[in-house]
Amino acid sequence: MIIDRAEVIVTSPDRNFVTLKLTTDDGLTGLGDATLNGRELAVVAYLRDHVVPLLLGRDAGRIEDTWQFLYRSAYWRRGPVTMAAVAAVDVALWDIKAKAAGMPLYQLLGGASRTGLLAYGHASGQDLPELFDSVRKHQELGYKAIRIQTGVPGLKSIYGIASNATFEANAGVRYDHEPAQRGPQPAEEDWDTRSYLRHVPTVFEAVRNEFGPALPLLHDVHHRLSPIQAARLGKSLEPYDLFWLEDCTPAENQEALRLVRQHTTTPLAIGEVFNTVWDYQQIVREQLIDYVRSSVTHAGGVTHLKKILDYASQYQIKSGIHGPTDISPVGMAAALHLGLAIHNFGIQEYMMHGERTDQVFRQSFTWSDGFLHPGERPGIGVELDTDEAGKYPYLQAYLPYNRLADGTVHDW
C-alpha cells in the first residue's frame, strides 16, 4: 500500500473544515481531519506545501514510523498547526489500514471495551427559563449528561450561550453554540470575573432544584479565571456535584493547578488546547486533573492521543475528548473508535453537526439513548462527498475575544 495521491480539501458547509484525503496505489482511501478553528488556512499551507510532498511514495502501513518522521524531521516541534497536520495524516493512515483489514478501526486498537460511549451536550441560556428549556431540549434528544452555560447579569455576550451565538454571514444562518464569526474581524465580547463568580453557584443550585441530583452536570470556564479564582469557584460548586469543571484556569502554567486542587474536590478537566503528551507531563504525574480534554484532531491523531491516555490511565485519569462542531465528522469518528477501545474512557463531548455538514461527510456512527457508537463499517466509517464539498468554499471566520470593562484584553 503505497501512498499515490494526497489531497487537501477545504469546505465550509456549516463552518470551515480542512480534510486530508490519501489514496494508495491499490485504490484505498483514508480521511483525516486537519481543522484548526479560526486558523484553518495555516494548516492547509502546512499540509500542501510541506507534508504532502513527503507522503507520496511512502508505505501507508507504516503509521508509527510516519508519525515519528513528520514530528521529528521538521525540527520545529509541537504546536497546534504542526499537530493538526500530523493528526490528519495519522487518522487517514489508520483509516486505510482498517479498510485493508476489513475492520472498523476500534478492532485494530484492541477491540471494544464497552458497548457505547456516554456523551454530553451543551445546554445554555441567558437566564434560567431559557437555560431550563435548553436542558429539556437536550434531554429530549437523548442526552444523559449536560454541560451548563449561563448568561451573567450585566454582561451582553459571553462564551457558550447559544442565544448569544454569532450569526454566520453565510445565508444569515445561526448555528447554535457556534461562536465563529464569518467576516474580516473577530467579534468583541465582555467579561467581569466577580459577577461571574457570584452568579454561577446560584445557577447550579437552581438547576439541581429543577432537575434533581442524578443528572450529570458539567461546566466550562474557558480559561478565564486565575488559580485562586478557580479554586474559589470549584469549592463553591461542590454542593452541586459536578461531573467536571473544565479549563478553570489557563493550564500552560501547570503548577497553578496545585492551588486549585488544594481547595476543591470538584473534578477538573483540562487540555482542549494541549497538543502533546509533554503538555500533560506534570499535571498527570501529580494527579492535578481528572479528565484529559485533547482531541484526536489537535493532538497528533489516534497514535499520539492514545499514548497520552495510556499515560493518564496509570493515574486513574480518564478521557473527555474534545468534540464540538469545529471537530469535523472525520475527527469525531476517530475519537469514537479510540474511546470505544481504551479502558479509561470517561465521557465524550458531542455536538450535532448541521444538515449540510452531514451531506458532505457521510457517517456511520450512531447516536442512541445518550450513547455514541462508531459503527461497523471498515475504517473510521466516514466518506467525503467531494462534489457536495465543492458547493461550499472557504469563508474567513474568527473566534471572538474578550475585553474587561476597562478595555483590557482578557482570556476568552
Side-chain angles (χ1 to χ4, degrees):
M1 298 188 301
I2 302 302
I3 300 172
D4 188 55
R5 189 163 71 254
E7 306 165 75
V8 182
I9 299 163
V10 183
T11 183
S12 189
D14 297 319
R15 62 178 306 156
N16 294 318
F17 296 112
V18 180
T19 307
L20 177 67
K21 181 179 180 179
L22 301 181
T23 305
T24 66
D25 57 355
D26 48 1
L28 291 175
T29 61
L31 299 177
D33 181 20
T35 306
L36 185 61
N37 195 14
R39 298 293 185 270
E40 298 90 354
L41 297 186
V43 190
V44 171
Y46 194 105
L47 284 168
R48 283 181 177 163
D49 298 340
H50 303 293
V51 173
V52 164
L54 302 176
L55 297 177
L56 301 180
R58 291 185 67 86
D59 182 349
R62 298 183 63 175
I63 298 176
E64 178 69 25
D65 181 68
T66 300
W67 196 98
Q68 298 295 342
F69 169 68
L70 293 177
Y71 181 81
R72 297 178 187 279
S73 69
Y75 183 69
W76 308 105
R77 302 178 181 182
R78 306 166 71 176
V81 175
T82 293
M83 298 308 286
V86 172
V89 176
D90 183 77
V91 172
L93 293 180
W94 276 112
D95 193 16
I96 289 171
K97 184 178 280 285
K99 287 176 180 175
M103 296 179 177
L105 174 57
Y106 75 83
Q107 293 288 10
L108 297 189
L109 301 176
S113 291
R114 55 198 48 83
T115 57
L117 306 175
L118 177 68
Y120 72 90
H122 296 184
S124 67
Q126 295 187 64
D127 52 30
L128 288 178
E130 186 175 275
L131 174 61
F132 289 177
D133 287 344
S134 181
V135 172
R136 293 187 185 99
K137 177 182 176 182
H138 280 79
Q139 289 179 316
E140 291 169 2
L141 291 170
Y143 285 99
K144 297 183 180 300
I146 298 177
R147 192 184 80 169
I148 301 296
Q149 302 298 132
T150 179
V152 175
L155 298 182
K156 297 185 293 295
S157 180
I158 65 172
Y159 165 80
I161 312 302
S163 55
N164 286 343
T166 302
F167 279 80
E168 298 279 12
N170 183 18
V173 178
R174 188 196 76 211
Y175 300 98
D176 280 353
H177 311 288
E178 174 44 59
Q181 178 178 357
R182 291 175 172 175
Q185 294 291 325
E188 181 179 303
E189 297 184 348
D190 52 354
W191 183 249
D192 180 82
T193 299
R194 289 177 59 82
S195 296
Y196 168 79
L197 290 174
R198 288 193 303 269
H199 185 62
V200 168
T202 69
V203 171
F204 276 88
E205 180 181 24
V207 171
R208 279 288 178 226
N209 288 339
E210 182 72 17
F211 295 98
L215 179 64
L217 301 178
L218 305 87
H219 181 64
D220 185 1
V221 183
H222 224 241
H223 310 105
R224 292 172 293 187
L225 302 182
S226 70
I228 195 64
Q229 292 166 346
R232 172 186 163 186
L233 178 63
K235 189 170 184 177
S236 69
L237 292 176
E238 285 177 10
Y240 312 113
D241 186 26
L242 268 63
F243 188 96
W244 78 33
L245 183 65
E246 179 183 347
D247 288 334
C248 59
T249 190
E252 295 95 323
N253 176 13
Q254 299 194 9
E255 293 181 2
L257 290 167
R258 293 176 184 165
L259 178 62
V260 182
R261 243 342 181 208
Q262 288 169 4
H263 291 283
T264 182
T265 58
T266 297
L268 303 178
I270 292 288
E272 71 179 51
V273 298
F274 285 177
N275 310 121
T276 70
V277 71
W278 295 282
D279 296 316
Y280 285 98
Q281 265 190 323
Q282 181 177 1
I283 57 177
V284 167
R285 186 177 63 248
E286 296 188 19
Q287 302 176 68
L288 300 178
I289 62 172
D290 301 281
Y291 295 92
V292 166
R293 285 284 290 135
S294 289
S295 65
V296 171
T297 299
H298 302 131
V302 169
T303 295
H304 194 63
L305 185 53
K306 187 174 187 302
K307 291 177 181 179
I308 294 172
L309 293 171
D310 286 344
Y311 172 48
S313 72
Q314 299 177 58
Y315 300 91
Q316 298 178 292
I317 296 170
K318 296 184 177 183
S319 72
I321 297 176
H322 189 53
T325 52
D326 65 301
I327 304 297
S328 86
V330 173
M332 174 60 72
L336 300 187
H337 284 280
L338 181 58
L340 197 69
I342 59 173
H343 179 259
N344 58 325
F345 172 79
I347 198 169
Q348 174 64 54
E349 182 177 18
Y350 177 48
M351 292 179 67
M352 298 177 182
H353 284 286
E355 292 182 7
R356 294 186 295 191
T357 296
D358 290 341
Q359 290 298 312
V360 172
F361 299 93
R362 307 300 176 89
Q363 308 145 37
S364 68
F365 61 80
T366 59
W367 167 249
S368 178
D369 196 30
F371 289 84
L372 291 158
H373 192 283
E376 300 299 333
R377 188 187 302 171
I380 63 171
V382 180
E383 298 298 331
L384 177 68
D385 186 328
T386 53
D387 290 337
E388 193 70 20
K391 297 178 181 179
Y392 306 109
Y394 169 82
L395 290 167
Q396 188 176 43
Y398 288 105
L399 292 170
Y401 70 101
N402 273 340
R403 286 191 187 272
L404 304 179
D406 67 357
T408 303
V409 173
H410 188 66
D411 291 307
W412 177 76

